Amino acid sequence: MGQNARAAIAGFTICNDVSVRDWQRRAATGTIGKSFDTHGPLGPWIVTQDELPGANELSLKTWVNGELCQDVTPTN
């Protein structure tokens, strides 16, 4: 990431994309399943760049009902 882009970043937070799959399957576009008021919760905190110097090295793992469904690291 270029230095100009990094200067525009206020901080990092978490967003949970709560899509309604049955609406997405029935609609002409997938956006209707992502447009409900409560389907994009954020936060509750924003972490600034100086608080998270290794942001490019973070991994993400997601479990659903005890099953690992997502495992993303900077190397894979």
Side-chain angles (χ1 to χ4, degrees):
M1 179 183 308
Q3 293 303 316
N4 292 339
R6 189 169 292 280
I9 297 172
F12 304 94
T13 191
I14 298 292
C15 177
N16 187 6
D17 177 3
V18 186
S19 299
V20 181
R21 298 287 184 222
D22 56 336
W23 276 88
Q24 286 181 303
R25 290 184 189 106
R26 286 187 252 162
T29 67
T31 57
I32 194 165
K34 295 180 175 284
S35 60
F36 295 96
D37 287 345
T38 59
H39 288 211
L42 289 174
W45 295 280
I46 295 177
V47 179
T48 59
Q49 291 186 60
D50 62 318
E51 295 174 302
L52 189 61
N56 293 337
E57 301 166 6
L58 294 176
S59 63
L60 173 72
K61 293 182 181 183
T62 306
W63 288 266
V64 177
N65 297 327
E67 179 183 346
L68 181 63
C69 296
Q70 185 177 25
D71 185 359
V72 182
T73 62
T75 59
N76 65 5

